[in-house]
Amino acid sequence: MTASGLTGPGDLRSLCKVIGVSQDDFRQAKRESKYNYRQYTHIDRKNKKRRNLCYPPDDSVLYRVQAAVKSQLLARIPLCAEIRGYLPGQHNILVASEVCGALYQGTLDISKFHPSIADGHVAEALRKHGLPWAWANRIARLVTFRTRHDNPAGKRVVPQGAPTSSHIANIVLDSILRRGVLHFATRMGIRVCNYGDDIAFFGPSPTAVTRCVRHARAEIEQAGFHANAEKTVLCEHRGGKRRFIGCATGRMRPDYPREKYRFLRKELRGLLANLKGGRLAALSDEQINSLRQRVAYVGRLNRQKARRLLNLFYRICSQVRRICALTRGATPRISAA
């Protein structure tokens, strides 16, 4: 669990030498960590979900030092194999495929995970992974901020959007899983898979899956976090409407959830009807490209569903071209899905 080659005497000089920045830059970044963050709320156009983003400016010393800490130190800390989120090559479809085929599955979702990670969590997790206390405390102060979103107590927490936030979240969750969750699941004969703030427990026994979810929830709450009751499922059979990180997992391969497919199909049909009826003037290049990417994602999971959506997409593109030709405007750059 220790970070090999990342130990040292614990002073600032040795830490700066490891991450490759000057001591003056590190001190400046520490000062900027008190105020130099951009905060705003992003609303997703598709599902209308709100995300409270907070990150340092790209041209700031804080961003440069955080990026150095991430690449030269945090990325070199070994994690358990069950941690799969925010890592290179770990697409959500690839991770969900491991859960497919299991007879029973339970899921646990951590509510507002990033804003719940305080500087104390960060320092403790880094120390458990072998870093000196002095390094752990300095890094914990550097990568946390008193955000105005989801932080009524005004604590220093991990901002959602900073260069180090994803790696810190993985390291903190790794220490929680190693402390008691993984050992308990192994004794129960249940496998564990984590992706961000979502954890799946799957195996042949419904009783064992249920016990693992309840045990993990107790461990997470003991660490100072809260489980999302609406998204936490104790146990589901393979024949149910199982889902993990956006993929249906009730079959042997990950699939696109049927309710999401029907919602997207209805949306495409509505756009086509509005274009034909003249209630919609046209679609922009950005809107066309967004539809194309959404249909392409469905194709990675289920080609049959994607073919039905592609038919609607091409008809929409045809109507957009017809409208542009009638109005003698510029034809948008429409590419195949």
Side-chain angles (χ1 to χ4, degrees), residues 7-15 131-136 138:
T7 58
D11 59 342
L12 179 60
R13 180 181 179 183
S14 59
L15 174 59
L131 270 64
W133 268 118
W135 286 18
R138 287 191 174 99

Side-chain angles (χ1 to χ4, degrees), residues 133-333:
W133 268 118
W135 286 18
N137 288 330
R138 287 191 174 99
I139 295 172
R141 295 284 295 180
L142 183 71
V143 302
T144 55
F145 175 64
R146 288 187 175 90
T147 66
R148 66 169 181 260
H149 298 299
D150 303 321
N151 187 21
K155 299 180 180 179
R156 293 188 66 95
V157 298
V158 173
Q160 189 167 358
T164 53
S165 296
S166 298
H167 286 72
I168 290 295
N170 276 348
I171 293 170
V172 170
L173 193 55
D174 177 87
S175 63
I176 297 175
L177 293 182
R178 289 179 187 264
R179 184 170 57 195
V181 176
L182 296 182
H183 179 68
F184 183 84
T186 301
R187 288 195 295 109
M188 300 297 296
I190 299 301
R191 296 178 60 191
V192 183
C193 188
N194 161 257
Y195 195 91
D197 54 3
D198 296 299
I199 311 174
F201 301 87
F202 51 102
S205 171
T207 304
V209 169
T210 301
R211 291 186 60 183
C212 286
V213 174
R214 287 175 174 169
H215 179 80
R217 182 166 56 189
E219 289 284 342
I220 287 172
E221 291 178 351
Q222 183 179 359
F225 303 96
H226 299 283
N228 191 332
E230 296 180 357
K231 297 182 179 180
T232 298
V233 180
L234 293 179
C235 185
E236 285 182 291
H237 187 265
R238 186 165 55 197
K241 295 183 179 180
R242 299 187 343 189
R243 187 186 301 182
F244 180 55
I245 51 177
C247 301
T249 61
R251 300 181 180 181
M252 299 303 294
R253 295 178 57 186
D255 195 5
Y256 195 72
R258 178 168 177 79
E259 60 273 19
K260 295 178 66 176
Y261 159 74
R262 297 182 67 179
F263 178 82
L264 179 55
R265 185 181 61 182
K266 182 179 180 180
E267 180 181 350
L268 294 177
R269 287 175 174 174
L271 285 174
L272 182 60
N274 289 333
L275 288 170
K276 285 185 175 181
R279 293 182 294 274
L280 189 63
L283 297 179
S284 64
D285 294 347
E286 183 181 358
Q287 290 174 312
I288 290 291
N289 188 53
S290 175
L291 292 176
R292 179 184 61 82
Q293 292 178 354
R294 293 168 67 183
V295 175
Y297 177 78
V298 178
R300 296 186 62 179
L301 288 163
N302 191 309
R303 293 184 179 180
Q304 184 178 1
K305 291 178 180 178
R307 281 197 296 267
R308 298 169 184 168
L309 298 177
L310 271 176
N311 181 40
L312 292 170
F313 174 75
Y314 287 136
R315 292 170 64 186
I316 290 174
C317 293
S318 177
Q319 286 295 322
V320 171
R321 292 192 185 96
R322 184 183 65 84
I323 293 174
C324 291
L326 290 176
T327 57
R328 298 181 181 180
T331 303
R333 296 184 298 273

